[in-house]
Amino acid sequence: MNLAAVEDFPLRAGLTQFNHASYGLSSLRVIAEGERLRRQIESDPNLHLGAELTQRLTAQSASVAEVLGLDSARMTLCANATSAAAAIIASVPLGASSTVVVLDVEYSSIRRAWEVACAKAGARLITVSVPIPLESTTALLARLDRQVPGPVDYLQVSAITSSTAIQMPIPALSVWVEQRGGHLILDAAHVPGHLPLPPGLWGAAAVFGTLHKWFPTLRPVGLLWRTPEFDIRPAEVSLTWDSPDLVERFSWPGTFDPVPRLCMDAAIGQWREWQADGRLDDCEALADMADRAMVDFGARRTAATEFRPPRLRSFILDGVTPLQVKDALHGAEIRAWVGQGASGECLLRLSTHIYNDENDLDRVTHRIQEVLSR
């Protein structure tokens, strides 16, 4: 554990954390800011949860848009990635003649949301299996061509897949769905604070994501971005549902805790310090070291080099079950995501953050080596 960096976080002593990508981790600085904001709100809830709140949320949304390089008029903060996805899926027009394509490496709740929406509308849902390990964009596009006949209305893709940690070839997939006459819906849950969101958002029509994974803010905070042609509204009909302003629409989903969203300025400021100090670059170097060490010990990568995210890597562990790996790591006070892939394979995902160091890496890789050698 990087003792200098761990002072920024409330992590328990002796715990090795490689599961940052699941829930993120609030920094002590942001936690203190959150406590200050909560005391302020409770000093006069009628004032601070009234019209003033929308103004403050608009300012925070603009700060996030600025750091991500987005048009603030097209973006809003929201509860989390799931609520943003629900808003998008509930808002896009679907009918009996519609076709939606979802990859089998997508997050399970997102796949389920499209299943429910398509069943309700009588639309066709096609789930396409992604070859794991993913070796080439050509192979993925060929599989899409084989499994998806005819026009497509929507293609649901993650910029970085969750359990398999694959940085998908979004520009090529955007071209593919455009050629089929459809729109790209992008899951960017693992992107903000981790990867840049390029201008035009890779040709996406709508994007949902999470800010509490890689920015050190309180959880939960999500984001939603859309092109002007998509009139996205919250899945819940609240007092601001009819607002012409996107931020205001999502500013009052009923009574809720606005503090995580109001902490974004503080979180962005600290994240920028880490970036300027080279700490995030160090995390990428540690992820590359983990990648090499895991393969040396018998794990298999989920994707070729071009598809590996900077600070998130996933591996196939042959001959073991997720339960065996979870038990081995838990007993050693190591936290990492372990689960089952779409084809039943055992997956281990490691995310590196500024509180990690080479000693942490030695602990997790040697533990995995023990499990694989049994």
Side-chain angles (χ1 to χ4, degrees), residues 36-57 251-252 256-259 262:
R36 184 192 70 81
L37 287 166
R38 285 201 169 91
R39 287 194 298 270
Q40 180 190 65
I41 288 171
E42 296 308 321
S43 72
D44 190 348
N46 289 290
L47 173 65
H48 298 301
L49 295 179
E52 173 193 290
L53 179 60
T54 300
Q55 297 172 5
R56 296 175 74 175
L57 292 175
S251 290
W252 193 255
F256 78 113
D257 179 11
V259 170
L262 297 176

Side-chain angles (χ1 to χ4, degrees), residues 114-246:
W114 280 110
E115 288 174 359
V116 171
C118 288
K120 186 179 296 186
R124 179 170 62 164
L125 178 66
I126 300 175
T127 301
V128 175
S129 58
V130 174
I132 305 296
L134 181 62
E135 299 291 350
S136 73
T137 300
T138 301
L140 177 58
L141 295 177
R143 186 164 294 203
L144 280 164
D145 284 336
R146 287 196 303 271
Q147 297 187 26
V148 182
V152 171
D153 291 272
Y154 304 103
L155 170 64
Q156 172 69 64
V157 178
S158 290
I160 299 174
T161 61
S162 181
S163 57
T164 49
I166 298 172
Q167 186 174 330
M168 299 298 285
I170 300 303
L173 292 170
S174 178
V175 170
W176 182 87
V177 70
E178 183 180 2
Q179 291 174 341
R180 295 296 188 100
H183 302 280
L184 177 69
I185 308 296
L186 187 65
D187 180 345
H190 292 280
V191 172
H194 186 194
L195 281 178
L197 279 173
L201 292 161
W202 292 302
V207 179
F208 58 90
T210 302
L211 295 165
H212 59 254
K213 289 185 184 293
W214 297 104
F215 289 111
T217 194
L218 300 179
R219 68 183 73 81
V221 187
L223 71 85
L224 183 152
W225 179 97
R226 50 82 166 133
T227 55
E229 65 185 288
F230 280 87
D231 186 28
I232 307 299
R233 295 180 183 271
E236 66 278 287
V237 180
S238 65
L239 292 174
T240 57
W241 192 85
D242 289 309
S243 173
D245 180 78
L246 188 63

Side-chain angles (χ1 to χ4, degrees), residues 70-76 200 224-228 246:
L70 305 177
D71 180 352
S72 61
R74 300 185 184 184
M75 198 208 81
T76 184
L224 183 152
W225 179 97
R226 50 82 166 133
T227 55
L246 188 63

